[in-house]
């Protein structure tokens, strides 16, 4: 037990050490200050702007920024969908894989363009190297960069500056942040044993004398952007539990830190860009504490194991079902909370096999979306909660709410409410419809319940988890669900689109509104938002709203399952 918690603690200490360095660097990138990479990327970026015709010196209005997001994402979606459909005739297809069904191709393209990477397929048996690298790998960069661009536009608007130019923010996010770290990370992973090849699967002879095909491919560069961009879609079906994606403890440590470093550091970036590092550290501390609490809950649950199994063997033993023994209970619990907190979705163990405390923590993470949240968007959601806290506390003391020197009025609260309400709508309504239909013979591809493979309370969690993962743009799942059907592909796609683009539109409009407001001078009666008291109130509001909204499904799922086991 001591060793397991020491491993978790060491990972957290390294994360805290990374945050000020990466956060400061990202602040320089987005404020167009000089960095050590300028001599390399300045000419490259100018060439990109010239070839694409982008007016990189021109700032956009809110609606121009939104149109740029939607248009670019639509073009990328069409391109990737065509690659999937034409997979059978494209090169880099060493085992001649046929094109996937239209609905699976649709769901996968939507899933990756929304930075969700929810997989209703097994990568090595469904998509060719061309589809994995040219389509999925391409979207791993652009979808993550889209989220970062929105977060930075939101921070600019909150601090009273123009929201910027989407294409410039997208380009700089890729060239200055995602690409350099991915290049270095891929080289390190190759050195540590992760394959990077376009050769066909290797053929081995088993002990029984039977030939066996061992899937491989250009994995290393795919794996690093999968974690860094909070993408999560694995090259192989079992994701980062596969030894070719995650061979040992050192790669596991690197991939865990890679997964969480950008969203954690973005809070520090916010503190620099708003000129209030104190508030940045307070917010970071609040999120970090919630993160540690959820890790502790999950880790204790996995260490204590399954009480039914413990009674059979007459001793306490950790829950190792669905886990890789090279990682064990501690690293699996840490990864599970990190991947659902960052909205990455990659897994190094099967979440369906987690004990109820782990199921509770992973679901709760995706319900809140701020520990640490999606790539860029999670940071923005966090500040939406700050705005809501300012509004509520302002009502308590009878003052007009103000945040960063600007009044919070009806329009801002309406947009903030839209951002927070879309999420439960995209989870609870399709989840209720799915569970309302009984199994119907003759309609296995339509009726959702035909895919549920777990009985009782765990089956409820399995359904809710799938839609939560889609709406939160996470991508992980309680695997075992028979989700590659017309019903699941289409309904999950609706949750993917609604959970991604409705909040993005509202975030940009909210940022644009805040920028256009006249600043209000600070007075002795102004509510300060950079105090421990205000930060504590914010944490309480976040937890209360999460509990009130999703408590019924938590009670019917992991909480009831935990009580039943004991």
């Amino acid at each position: 037990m001591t060793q397991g918690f020491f491993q978790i603690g060491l990972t957290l200490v390294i994360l805290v050490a990374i945050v000020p360095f990466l956060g400061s660097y990202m602040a320089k990138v987005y404020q167009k200050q000089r960095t050590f990479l300028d001599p390399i990327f300045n000419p490259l970026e100018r060439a990109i702007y010239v070839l694409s015709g982008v007016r990189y010196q021109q700032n956009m209005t809110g609606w121009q920024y939104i149109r740029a997001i939607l248009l670019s994402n639509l073009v990328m979606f069409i391109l990737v969908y065509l690659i999937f459909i034409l997979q059978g005739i494209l090169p880099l297809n060493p085992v001649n894989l046929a094109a996937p069904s239209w609905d699976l191709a649709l769901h996968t393209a939507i899933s990756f363009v929304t930075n969700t990477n929810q997989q209703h397929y097994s990568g090595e048996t469904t998509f060719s190297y061309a589809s994995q690298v040219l389509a999925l790998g391409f979207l791993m960069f652009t979808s993550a960069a889209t989220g970062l661009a929105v977060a930075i536009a939101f921070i600019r608007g909150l601090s009273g500056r123009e929201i910027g130019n989407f294409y410039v923010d997208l380009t700089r996010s890729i060239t200055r942040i995602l690409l350099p770290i991915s290049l270095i990370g891929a080289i390190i992973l190759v050195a540590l044993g992760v394959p990077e090849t376009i050769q066909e699967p290797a053929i081995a002879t088993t002990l029984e004398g039977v030939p066996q095909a061992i899937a491989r491919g250009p994995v290393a560069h795919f794996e690093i952007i999968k974690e860094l961009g909070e993408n999560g879609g694995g090259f192989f079906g079992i994701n980062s539990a596969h030894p070719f994606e995650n061979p040992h403890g050192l790669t596991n440590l690197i991939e865990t830190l890679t997964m969480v470093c950008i969203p954690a550091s973005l809070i520090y970036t916010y503190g620099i860009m708003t000129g209030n590092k104190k508030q940045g550290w307070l917010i970071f501390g609040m999120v970090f504490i919630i993160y540690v609490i959820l890790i502790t809950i999950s880790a204790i649950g996995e260490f204590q194991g399954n009480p039914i199994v413990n009674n059979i063997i007459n001793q306490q033993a950790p829950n190792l079902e669905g886990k890789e023994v090279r990682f064990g209970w501690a690293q699996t619990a840490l990864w599970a909370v990190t991947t659902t907190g960052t909205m990455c979705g990659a897994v190094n163990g099967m979440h369906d096999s987690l004990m109820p405390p782990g199921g509770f923590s992973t679901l709760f993470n995706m319900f809140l979306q701020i520990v640490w949240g999606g790539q860029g968007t999670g940071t923005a959601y966090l500040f939406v909660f700050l705005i809501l806290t300012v509004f509520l506390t302002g009502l308590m003391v009878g003052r007009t709410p103000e945040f960063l020197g600007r009044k919070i009025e009806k329009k801002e609260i309406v947009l903030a409410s839209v951002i927070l309400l879309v999420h439960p709508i995209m989870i609870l309504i399709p989840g209720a419809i799915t569970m309302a239909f009984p199994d119907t013979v003759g309609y296995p591809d339509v009726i959702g319940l035909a895919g549920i493979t777990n009985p009782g309370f765990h089956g409820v969690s399995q359904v809710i988890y799938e839609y939560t993962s889609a709406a939160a743009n996470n991508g992980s799942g309680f695997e075992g669900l028979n989700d590659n059907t017309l019903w699941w592909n289409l309904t999950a796609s609706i949750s993917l689109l609604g959970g991604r683009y409705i909040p993005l539109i509202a975030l940009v409009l909210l940022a644009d509104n805040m920028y256009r407001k006249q600043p209000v001078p600070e007075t002795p009666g102004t509510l300060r938002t950079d105090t421990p008291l205000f930060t504590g109130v914010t944490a309480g509001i976040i937890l209360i709203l999460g509990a009130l909204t999703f408590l019924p499904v938590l009670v019917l799922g992991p909480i009831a399952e935990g009580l039943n086991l004991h």
Side-chain angles (χ1 to χ4, degrees), residues 355-366:
M355 296 303 296
F360 172 89
S361 297
T362 52
L363 278 169
F364 195 68
N365 256 337
M366 293 188 290

Side-chain angles (χ1 to χ4, degrees), residues 422-444:
V422 165
H423 189 52
I425 289 172
M426 292 297 163
I427 296 169
L428 300 178
I429 291 178
I433 293 172
T434 298
M435 289 186 287
F437 281 94
D439 287 319
T440 304
V441 177
Y443 297 94

